[in-house]
Amino acid sequence: MHGFLRLLTPDSAVPTTLYPSPNHGERKRGLTANAILLHYTGLATSEAALRQLCDPVAEVSSHYLVDKAGGLYQLVPETRRAWHAGQGCWAGETDMNDVSIGIEICNPGHKGGSPDYPPEQIATVIALCQDIISRWGVVPHRVLGHSDVSPHRKIDPGEFFPWATLAEAGVGHYVPPHPIEDGPRHGPGDEGSGVKAVQSLFADYGYGLNVSGAYDEETESIVRAFQRHFRPALVDGVADVSTLETLRALIAAQR
């Protein structure tokens, strides 16, 4: 019951089963949660996910797990630092575990064929996020996917995750993707002021990258991560008109 001795009832008003994980610690520097990170488990069953997230040898966890039928489990108190984000950054924060609440969603992911997320599962994700947002004051552009903060390592919750459905319920930052069309584009190997301007736009929105003017692997992975979240029709790592216009619309809506 490590850490759960203080948690006699779930943090959320959404019906929840307590399923304690030993894998957590103190949030550093006196920080509190100001972001939500959504993940897929990459495993076929919630039972397998719970075993992994509660295994002290695995040293991974999340605050919540949502199973395929919409059942909700709380593994770590929201005031504690769950171990779900790993190495990554957003908007200058280089340790997202310190400032985020992690939600694992049972889905086998890309290796499992990228199946749809069931409606009842997404309904629970939405209700949980709405509850967390109301209690912690999480702003829309800090409801993120794991791939947003760790684009070089992670691709979840994937381009098949229904971000638009969440946005319709007031969860997350979203604009309709700009149509895919012909026009100027930047891609791997390109260099110059145009690439630097593209990199600056992504950094302005929150992605962590070096504004170097060289379209390197880091830039390509961040463009792919953006496309998975905001322009999922084509995930190719190329900064085309559709990608950049969608990004500009998001930045404008953020202000």
Side-chain angles (χ1 to χ4, degrees):
M1 298 295 289
H2 177 59
F4 264 72
L5 293 176
R6 300 191 303 267
L7 185 61
L8 301 179
T9 58
D11 286 318
S12 176
V14 180
T16 307
T17 298
L18 294 181
Y19 201 100
S21 172
N23 302 333
H24 56 89
E26 296 285 347
R27 293 189 186 270
K28 302 172 187 175
R29 298 168 283 156
L31 295 170
T32 57
N34 60 34
I36 296 171
L37 290 189
L38 302 180
H39 311 250
Y40 65 46
T41 60
L43 297 169
T45 67
S46 56
E47 291 79 12
L50 286 168
R51 284 195 300 270
Q52 178 171 296
L53 295 167
C54 296
D55 182 355
V57 176
E59 296 187 336
V60 295
S61 62
S62 62
H63 294 89
Y64 294 97
L65 171 74
V66 182
D67 69 23
K68 293 178 182 178
L72 178 63
Y73 299 84
Q74 184 169 8
L75 286 68
V76 173
E78 291 179 5
T79 55
R80 301 284 289 178
R81 182 182 193 272
W83 304 341
H84 59 100
Q87 184 179 4
C89 62
W90 186 262
E93 174 58 58
T94 57
D95 192 337
M96 292 302 295
N97 280 334
D98 275 338
V99 297
S100 63
I101 292 174
I103 302 172
E104 288 277 359
I105 306 165
C106 187
N107 186 290
H110 292 81
K111 292 182 179 180
S114 302
D116 290 340
Y117 292 85
E120 55 270 32
Q121 185 180 52
I122 293 303
T124 296
V125 171
I126 288 172
L128 176 59
C129 287
Q130 288 172 332
D131 184 62
I132 292 169
I133 289 166
S134 69
R135 290 184 288 104
W136 289 96
V138 177
V139 296
H141 55 271
R142 291 186 70 84
V143 178
L144 302 163
H146 198 184
S147 57
D148 291 311
V149 302
S150 301
H152 323 306
R153 303 185 302 110
K154 298 295 181 178
I155 56 176
D156 60 306
E159 60 275 18
F160 50 99
F161 185 74
W163 288 107
T165 301
L166 270 67
E168 290 171 1
V171 175
H173 196 214
Y174 190 82
V175 298
H178 189 87
I180 296 173
E181 59 187 40
D182 292 334
R185 60 186 59 211
H186 297 283
D190 290 347
E191 295 184 356
S193 59
V195 173
K196 195 169 186 177
V198 167
Q199 291 171 327
S200 295
L201 284 173
F202 282 99
D204 188 21
Y205 190 64
Y207 288 93
L209 80 168
N210 179 30
V211 181
S212 64
Y215 206 109
D216 50 15
E217 290 184 6
E218 176 188 56
T219 303
E220 183 181 3
S221 66
I222 283 172
V223 173
R224 286 182 182 274
F226 176 85
Q227 291 168 338
R228 290 186 196 283
H229 188 155
F230 298 106
R231 208 286 305 273
L234 178 61
V235 180
D236 61 359
V238 174
D240 59 5
V241 172
S242 170
T243 299
L244 295 179
E245 287 303 310
T246 303
L247 175 57
R248 290 187 180 101
L250 286 161
I251 292 171
Q254 191 180 40
R255 291 170 175 162

PDB file of all heavy atoms in Angstrom, residues 4 26-27 34 49 53 57 61 85 113 152-153 156 173 179 193 199 202 206 247 251 254:
ATOM      1  N   PHE A   4      -0.410   4.758  -0.706  1.00  0.00           N
ATOM      2  CA  PHE A   4      -1.860   4.770  -0.737  1.00  0.00           C
ATOM      3  C   PHE A   4      -2.460   4.794   0.664  1.00  0.00           C
ATOM      4  O   PHE A   4      -3.667   4.856   0.818  1.00  0.00           O
ATOM      5  CB  PHE A   4      -2.400   3.573  -1.516  1.00  0.00           C
ATOM      6  CG  PHE A   4      -2.717   3.907  -2.945  1.00  0.00           C
ATOM      7  CD1 PHE A   4      -1.704   4.128  -3.853  1.00  0.00           C
ATOM      8  CD2 PHE A   4      -4.018   4.035  -3.365  1.00  0.00           C
ATOM      9  CE1 PHE A   4      -1.988   4.443  -5.158  1.00  0.00           C
ATOM     10  CE2 PHE A   4      -4.311   4.358  -4.682  1.00  0.00           C
ATOM     11  CZ  PHE A   4      -3.294   4.564  -5.567  1.00  0.00           C
ATOM     12  N   GLU A  26       8.122  11.534  -4.698  1.00  0.00           N
ATOM     13  CA  GLU A  26       7.718  12.916  -4.471  1.00  0.00           C
ATOM     14  C   GLU A  26       7.876  13.724  -5.756  1.00  0.00           C
ATOM     15  O   GLU A  26       8.822  13.544  -6.510  1.00  0.00           O
ATOM     16  CB  GLU A  26       8.580  13.549  -3.375  1.00  0.00           C
ATOM     17  CG  GLU A  26       8.435  12.911  -2.008  1.00  0.00           C
ATOM     18  CD  GLU A  26       7.145  13.287  -1.318  1.00  0.00           C
ATOM     19  OE1 GLU A  26       6.469  14.234  -1.792  1.00  0.00           O
ATOM     20  OE2 GLU A  26       6.792  12.630  -0.320  1.00  0.00           O
ATOM     21  N   ARG A  27       6.916  14.622  -6.002  1.00  0.00           N
ATOM     22  CA  ARG A  27       7.117  15.607  -7.072  1.00  0.00           C
ATOM     23  C   ARG A  27       8.226  16.556  -6.611  1.00  0.00           C
ATOM     24  O   ARG A  27       8.176  17.094  -5.513  1.00  0.00           O
ATOM     25  CB  ARG A  27       5.824  16.372  -7.356  1.00  0.00           C
ATOM     26  CG  ARG A  27       4.723  15.492  -7.960  1.00  0.00           C
ATOM     27  CD  ARG A  27       3.565  16.348  -8.428  1.00  0.00           C
ATOM     28  NE  ARG A  27       2.439  15.552  -8.887  1.00  0.00           N
ATOM     29  CZ  ARG A  27       2.255  15.129 -10.124  1.00  0.00           C
ATOM     30  NH1 ARG A  27       3.152  15.422 -11.046  1.00  0.00           N
ATOM     31  NH2 ARG A  27       1.193  14.421 -10.454  1.00  0.00           N
ATOM     32  N   ASN A  34       0.253  20.215 -13.694  1.00  0.00           N
ATOM     33  CA  ASN A  34      -0.318  21.232 -14.586  1.00  0.00           C
ATOM     34  C   ASN A  34      -0.470  20.712 -16.013  1.00  0.00           C
ATOM     35  O   ASN A  34      -0.686  21.483 -16.940  1.00  0.00           O
ATOM     36  CB  ASN A  34       0.521  22.507 -14.570  1.00  0.00           C
ATOM     37  CG  ASN A  34       1.954  22.295 -15.017  1.00  0.00           C
ATOM     38  OD1 ASN A  34       2.237  21.464 -15.886  1.00  0.00           O
ATOM     39  ND2 ASN A  34       2.877  23.033 -14.422  1.00  0.00           N
ATOM     40  N   ALA A  49      -1.311  -4.936 -18.417  1.00  0.00           N
ATOM     41  CA  ALA A  49      -0.870  -3.567 -18.136  1.00  0.00           C
ATOM     42  C   ALA A  49      -0.761  -3.322 -16.638  1.00  0.00           C
ATOM     43  O   ALA A  49       0.217  -2.719 -16.168  1.00  0.00           O
ATOM     44  CB  ALA A  49      -1.838  -2.576 -18.773  1.00  0.00           C
ATOM     45  N   LEU A  53       2.558  -2.113 -14.680  1.00  0.00           N
ATOM     46  CA  LEU A  53       2.559  -0.814 -14.008  1.00  0.00           C
ATOM     47  C   LEU A  53       2.718  -0.931 -12.503  1.00  0.00           C
ATOM     48  O   LEU A  53       3.011   0.073 -11.837  1.00  0.00           O
ATOM     49  CB  LEU A  53       1.272  -0.064 -14.343  1.00  0.00           C
ATOM     50  CG  LEU A  53       1.098   0.338 -15.814  1.00  0.00           C
ATOM     51  CD1 LEU A  53      -0.336   0.778 -16.080  1.00  0.00           C
ATOM     52  CD2 LEU A  53       2.077   1.438 -16.203  1.00  0.00           C
ATOM     53  N   VAL A  57      10.051  -4.120 -10.304  1.00  0.00           N
ATOM     54  CA  VAL A  57      11.221  -4.343 -11.147  1.00  0.00           C
ATOM     55  C   VAL A  57      11.127  -3.521 -12.424  1.00  0.00           C
ATOM     56  O   VAL A  57      12.122  -2.988 -12.920  1.00  0.00           O
ATOM     57  CB  VAL A  57      11.375  -5.837 -11.477  1.00  0.00           C
ATOM     58  CG1 VAL A  57      12.544  -6.067 -12.436  1.00  0.00           C
ATOM     59  CG2 VAL A  57      11.576  -6.648 -10.194  1.00  0.00           C
ATOM     60  N   SER A  61       4.943   3.295 -14.063  1.00  0.00           N
ATOM     61  CA  SER A  61       3.606   3.407 -13.477  1.00  0.00           C
ATOM     62  C   SER A  61       2.868   4.532 -14.185  1.00  0.00           C
ATOM     63  O   SER A  61       3.417   5.211 -15.056  1.00  0.00           O
ATOM     64  CB  SER A  61       3.680   3.684 -11.968  1.00  0.00           C
ATOM     65  OG  SER A  61       4.330   4.919 -11.709  1.00  0.00           O
ATOM     66  N   ALA A  85       6.333   9.223 -17.916  1.00  0.00           N
ATOM     67  CA  ALA A  85       6.745  10.063 -19.044  1.00  0.00           C
ATOM     68  C   ALA A  85       8.140   9.750 -19.549  1.00  0.00           C
ATOM     69  O   ALA A  85       8.415   9.869 -20.742  1.00  0.00           O
ATOM     70  CB  ALA A  85       6.657  11.541 -18.654  1.00  0.00           C
ATOM     71  N   GLY A 113      -1.676  -3.598 -34.356  1.00  0.00           N
ATOM     72  CA  GLY A 113      -2.567  -3.340 -35.468  1.00  0.00           C
ATOM     73  C   GLY A 113      -3.352  -2.051 -35.395  1.00  0.00           C
ATOM     74  O   GLY A 113      -4.230  -1.808 -36.217  1.00  0.00           O
ATOM     75  N   HIS A 152      11.111  11.552 -29.952  1.00  0.00           N
ATOM     76  CA  HIS A 152      12.213  10.745 -30.491  1.00  0.00           C
ATOM     77  C   HIS A 152      12.094   9.285 -30.065  1.00  0.00           C
ATOM     78  O   HIS A 152      12.706   8.413 -30.675  1.00  0.00           O
ATOM     79  CB  HIS A 152      13.557  11.297 -30.028  1.00  0.00           C
ATOM     80  CG  HIS A 152      13.597  12.791 -29.968  1.00  0.00           C
ATOM     81  ND1 HIS A 152      13.258  13.581 -31.043  1.00  0.00           N
ATOM     82  CD2 HIS A 152      13.904  13.649 -28.956  1.00  0.00           C
ATOM     83  CE1 HIS A 152      13.356  14.864 -30.701  1.00  0.00           C
ATOM     84  NE2 HIS A 152      13.732  14.922 -29.437  1.00  0.00           N
ATOM     85  N   ARG A 153      11.270   9.029 -29.019  1.00  0.00           N
ATOM     86  CA  ARG A 153      11.174   7.678 -28.461  1.00  0.00           C
ATOM     87  C   ARG A 153       9.787   7.060 -28.571  1.00  0.00           C
ATOM     88  O   ARG A 153       9.657   5.836 -28.602  1.00  0.00           O
ATOM     89  CB  ARG A 153      11.556   7.692 -26.964  1.00  0.00           C
ATOM     90  CG  ARG A 153      12.922   8.224 -26.631  1.00  0.00           C
ATOM     91  CD  ARG A 153      13.228   8.081 -25.150  1.00  0.00           C
ATOM     92  NE  ARG A 153      12.255   8.764 -24.298  1.00  0.00           N
ATOM     93  CZ  ARG A 153      11.373   8.144 -23.517  1.00  0.00           C
ATOM     94  NH1 ARG A 153      11.327   6.826 -23.481  1.00  0.00           N
ATOM     95  NH2 ARG A 153      10.537   8.841 -22.761  1.00  0.00           N
ATOM     96  N   ASP A 156       2.909   6.968 -29.057  1.00  0.00           N
ATOM     97  CA  ASP A 156       1.563   6.817 -28.500  1.00  0.00           C
ATOM     98  C   ASP A 156       1.014   8.148 -27.978  1.00  0.00           C
ATOM     99  O   ASP A 156       1.790   9.036 -27.652  1.00  0.00           O
ATOM    100  CB  ASP A 156       1.570   5.766 -27.377  1.00  0.00           C
ATOM    101  CG  ASP A 156       2.495   6.125 -26.202  1.00  0.00           C
ATOM    102  OD1 ASP A 156       3.688   6.378 -26.448  1.00  0.00           O
ATOM    103  OD2 ASP A 156       2.018   6.156 -25.047  1.00  0.00           O
ATOM    104  N   HIS A 173      -6.389  20.840 -26.752  1.00  0.00           N
ATOM    105  CA  HIS A 173      -6.271  21.935 -27.701  1.00  0.00           C
ATOM    106  C   HIS A 173      -6.335  21.346 -29.096  1.00  0.00           C
ATOM    107  O   HIS A 173      -5.590  20.418 -29.423  1.00  0.00           O
ATOM    108  CB  HIS A 173      -4.945  22.663 -27.476  1.00  0.00           C
ATOM    109  CG  HIS A 173      -4.879  24.003 -28.108  1.00  0.00           C
ATOM    110  ND1 HIS A 173      -3.720  24.532 -28.622  1.00  0.00           N
ATOM    111  CD2 HIS A 173      -5.833  24.948 -28.306  1.00  0.00           C
ATOM    112  CE1 HIS A 173      -3.959  25.740 -29.102  1.00  0.00           C
ATOM    113  NE2 HIS A 173      -5.235  26.009 -28.925  1.00  0.00           N
ATOM    114  N   PRO A 179      -6.427  21.312 -44.917  1.00  0.00           N
ATOM    115  CA  PRO A 179      -6.414  20.273 -45.960  1.00  0.00           C
ATOM    116  C   PRO A 179      -5.013  20.039 -46.518  1.00  0.00           C
ATOM    117  O   PRO A 179      -4.192  20.962 -46.607  1.00  0.00           O
ATOM    118  CB  PRO A 179      -7.344  20.841 -47.034  1.00  0.00           C
ATOM    119  CG  PRO A 179      -8.215  21.823 -46.320  1.00  0.00           C
ATOM    120  CD  PRO A 179      -7.369  22.402 -45.237  1.00  0.00           C
ATOM    121  N   SER A 193      17.148  29.422 -43.706  1.00  0.00           N
ATOM    122  CA  SER A 193      16.276  30.267 -42.900  1.00  0.00           C
ATOM    123  C   SER A 193      14.839  29.747 -42.860  1.00  0.00           C
ATOM    124  O   SER A 193      14.132  29.906 -41.860  1.00  0.00           O
ATOM    125  CB  SER A 193      16.292  31.700 -43.438  1.00  0.00           C
ATOM    126  OG  SER A 193      15.868  31.740 -44.790  1.00  0.00           O
ATOM    127  N   GLN A 199      11.209  25.466 -37.443  1.00  0.00           N
ATOM    128  CA  GLN A 199      11.600  25.001 -36.114  1.00  0.00           C
ATOM    129  C   GLN A 199      11.146  25.978 -35.028  1.00  0.00           C
ATOM    130  O   GLN A 199      10.699  25.551 -33.951  1.00  0.00           O
ATOM    131  CB  GLN A 199      13.121  24.821 -36.052  1.00  0.00           C
ATOM    132  CG  GLN A 199      13.633  23.670 -36.904  1.00  0.00           C
ATOM    133  CD  GLN A 199      15.144  23.649 -37.013  1.00  0.00           C
ATOM    134  OE1 GLN A 199      15.793  24.704 -37.015  1.00  0.00           O
ATOM    135  NE2 GLN A 199      15.712  22.461 -37.132  1.00  0.00           N
ATOM    136  N   PHE A 202       7.450  25.389 -34.145  1.00  0.00           N
ATOM    137  CA  PHE A 202       7.234  24.225 -33.277  1.00  0.00           C
ATOM    138  C   PHE A 202       7.695  24.509 -31.850  1.00  0.00           C
ATOM    139  O   PHE A 202       7.033  24.112 -30.880  1.00  0.00           O
ATOM    140  CB  PHE A 202       7.935  22.994 -33.853  1.00  0.00           C
ATOM    141  CG  PHE A 202       7.192  22.365 -34.985  1.00  0.00           C
ATOM    142  CD1 PHE A 202       7.550  22.617 -36.301  1.00  0.00           C
ATOM    143  CD2 PHE A 202       6.114  21.529 -34.748  1.00  0.00           C
ATOM    144  CE1 PHE A 202       6.852  22.041 -37.359  1.00  0.00           C
ATOM    145  CE2 PHE A 202       5.402  20.954 -35.792  1.00  0.00           C
ATOM    146  CZ  PHE A 202       5.774  21.205 -37.108  1.00  0.00           C
ATOM    147  N   GLY A 206       5.530  24.616 -28.122  1.00  0.00           N
ATOM    148  CA  GLY A 206       5.887  23.865 -26.920  1.00  0.00           C
ATOM    149  C   GLY A 206       6.843  22.717 -27.142  1.00  0.00           C
ATOM    150  O   GLY A 206       7.428  22.200 -26.181  1.00  0.00           O
ATOM    151  N   LEU A 247      -0.476  24.156 -37.564  1.00  0.00           N
ATOM    152  CA  LEU A 247       0.328  24.639 -36.449  1.00  0.00           C
ATOM    153  C   LEU A 247       0.099  26.129 -36.196  1.00  0.00           C
ATOM    154  O   LEU A 247      -0.069  26.562 -35.041  1.00  0.00           O
ATOM    155  CB  LEU A 247       1.811  24.362 -36.727  1.00  0.00           C
ATOM    156  CG  LEU A 247       2.824  24.902 -35.719  1.00  0.00           C
ATOM    157  CD1 LEU A 247       2.540  24.396 -34.316  1.00  0.00           C
ATOM    158  CD2 LEU A 247       4.246  24.534 -36.152  1.00  0.00           C
ATOM    159  N   ILE A 251      -1.329  27.927 -32.739  1.00  0.00           N
ATOM    160  CA  ILE A 251      -0.625  29.000 -32.031  1.00  0.00           C
ATOM    161  C   ILE A 251      -1.517  30.229 -31.892  1.00  0.00           C
ATOM    162  O   ILE A 251      -1.590  30.851 -30.816  1.00  0.00           O
ATOM    163  CB  ILE A 251       0.684  29.346 -32.770  1.00  0.00           C
ATOM    164  CG1 ILE A 251       1.678  28.157 -32.669  1.00  0.00           C
ATOM    165  CG2 ILE A 251       1.313  30.615 -32.180  1.00  0.00           C
ATOM    166  CD1 ILE A 251       2.910  28.314 -33.532  1.00  0.00           C
ATOM    167  N   GLN A 254      -4.070  29.691 -29.264  1.00  0.00           N
ATOM    168  CA  GLN A 254      -3.468  29.575 -27.930  1.00  0.00           C
ATOM    169  C   GLN A 254      -3.357  30.929 -27.257  1.00  0.00           C
ATOM    170  O   GLN A 254      -3.306  31.025 -26.042  1.00  0.00           O
ATOM    171  CB  GLN A 254      -2.081  28.926 -28.074  1.00  0.00           C
ATOM    172  CG  GLN A 254      -1.411  28.500 -26.802  1.00  0.00           C
ATOM    173  CD  GLN A 254      -0.045  27.887 -27.098  1.00  0.00           C
ATOM    174  OE1 GLN A 254       0.700  28.369 -27.966  1.00  0.00           O
ATOM    175  NE2 GLN A 254       0.284  26.816 -26.419  1.00  0.00           N
TER     176      GLN A 254
END
